[in-house]
Amino acid sequence: MAATTPMAGASCPLSRSPTQRRGLSRQTFLPLSSSFSKILHLDSSSSSNSFHSLSLALTRGTRGGTAAATKMSMEAGVGVMGTKLGMMSYFEPEGTVVPVTVVGFREGNIVTQVKTAATDGYDAVQVGYRRVRDRKLTRPELGHLSKAGAIPMRHLQEFRLQSIEGFEPGQRLVIEEIFKEGDIVDVSGTTIGKGFQGGIKRHNFRRGPMTHGSKSHRALGSIGAGTTPGRVYKGKKMPGRMGGTKRKIRKLKIVKIDNELRIVMIKGALPGKPGNLLRITPAKIVGKNIPKS
């Protein structure tokens, strides 16, 4: 029996390249290949610039063949880091009782690095907080802090700003100069971890009957149909790990600033337990302190 040969001009499916078998066209890789070739074929004198350009190219995605850089969240102003101490009741001069969270400040809130668009691709201020022993940090971390003339600190966070004028490495941020009583702030931190919890505690589900022969009390119940769709939809609320996630509480009011005790009282509850690290920044108000676009 004669073997069948493919017709002239027709391509055999098995002879296709892996890229073609995945359904990707050659035109998809042309913009990326051209951009990478321009970056990699630089002279050796600009090795640092080529590494920076390559890192920027790797963080970009393609939309319709054109590269689109990922945007970072911009703050309304420089902020500080603090430690949650607990909650209490504060009596205003008129006699109104206000529930407040007391935030203390350890040694720190020092500018460790000022990033510019020319060197890093964006404008930001890096701030360190909470002094620790030298042996608690690695040598690269100690070298980074010593370059700025700062003390060894545990936490480093960035605040991306529209303008970085007036900031320099080693500068101490004064709480009283950044915030005033009555200011509106955004506070973010890590919530209290609850471990693995069921649907009632995690998603506020209702339980089943406890009497009259019911055998479904706190069970989850049905999670989907059988034949159609024959699977569980993504995002279905089910038991799982609860808490221990980053949470931001927006537009909270600063009730009291005590310079002697170095504490700030903020109205309402803040994420985490006492001793938790908090990030306090001026509240974002579109059109007022941040641009609309």
Side-chain angles (χ1 to χ4, degrees):
M1 186 174 182
T4 59
T5 58
M7 297 176 59
S11 60
C12 179
L14 297 179
S15 63
R16 295 180 181 179
S17 63
T19 303
Q20 293 176 341
R21 286 200 297 266
R22 296 191 188 100
L24 300 178
S25 61
R26 179 180 176 85
Q27 286 77 9
T28 307
F29 297 94
L30 288 179
L32 284 179
S33 60
S34 61
S35 61
F36 285 143
S37 61
K38 293 179 181 179
I39 295 172
L40 294 177
H41 288 288
L42 296 176
D43 53 349
S44 58
S45 61
S46 59
S47 59
S48 60
N49 295 332
S50 62
F51 177 79
H52 172 65
S53 303
L54 179 60
S55 62
L56 288 179
L58 291 175
T59 57
R60 294 175 179 173
T62 57
R63 295 181 180 177
T66 59
T70 57
K71 293 184 178 180
M72 297 175 58
S73 177
M74 184 174 296
E75 300 290 351
V78 68
V80 295
M81 286 176 281
T83 304
K84 180 177 180 179
L85 301 181
M87 294 195 66
M88 60 174 290
S89 297
Y90 176 77
F91 290 84
E92 294 183 343
E94 305 85 36
T96 306
V97 181
V98 180
V100 298
T101 301
V102 183
V103 181
F105 299 94
R106 299 186 179 182
E107 187 175 1
N109 282 320
I110 302 174
V111 178
T112 57
Q113 186 180 4
V114 178
K115 297 189 175 183
T116 61
T119 58
D120 301 279
Y122 61 97
D123 296 332
V125 175
Q126 186 185 84
V127 180
Y129 177 72
R130 188 181 174 185
R131 181 168 188 167
V132 293
R133 299 178 183 176
D134 296 351
R135 61 184 181 88
K136 294 290 185 179
L137 302 179
T138 61
R139 290 187 178 181
E141 293 172 342
L142 291 174
H144 174 70
L145 294 174
S146 61
K147 183 179 179 181
I151 59 177
M153 290 176 289
R154 169 68 67 188
H155 307 286
L156 296 177
Q157 292 194 11
E158 286 187 1
F159 298 89
R160 186 180 180 187
L161 308 175
Q162 299 179 5
S163 176
I164 56 175
E165 296 181 359
F167 295 100
E168 57 183 9
Q171 175 184 354
R172 290 182 177 270
L173 301 180
V174 183
I175 311 301
E176 298 79 14
E177 297 179 358
I178 301 177
F179 301 109
K180 305 294 181 183
E181 294 183 1
D183 289 352
I184 306 299
V185 296
D186 295 342
V187 183
S188 60
T190 304
T191 59
I192 299 177
K194 302 292 184 179
F196 194 97
Q197 298 297 331
I200 294 179
K201 184 178 179 67
R202 192 184 186 200
H203 300 293
N204 297 320
F205 288 171
R206 291 182 298 176
R207 62 171 176 81
M210 300 299 292
T211 57
H212 300 284
S214 173
K215 296 182 179 180
S216 176
H217 305 309
R218 299 178 65 93
L220 186 63
S222 175
I223 58 174
T227 304
T228 304
R231 61 186 178 87
V232 179
Y233 286 120
K234 291 183 179 181
K236 175 67 177 175
K237 294 181 179 179
M238 301 179 69
R241 188 176 181 272
M242 180 180 178
T245 58
K246 184 179 179 180
R247 182 70 55 85
K248 176 184 285 189
I249 312 297
R250 299 192 59 220
K251 297 183 178 180
L252 299 177
K253 179 181 178 181
I254 295 181
V255 179
K256 180 71 174 179
I257 298 179
D258 196 322
N259 300 331
E260 296 181 1
L261 299 178
R262 291 183 53 81
I263 61 172
V264 172
M265 299 182 184
I266 302 177
K267 183 179 179 179
L270 302 182
K273 59 183 179 180
N276 190 38
L277 176 69
L278 298 176
R279 174 189 173 108
I280 307 174
T281 57
K284 294 182 180 180
I285 303 177
V286 179
K288 184 177 180 181
N289 51 20
I290 59 174
K292 293 184 180 180
S293 58

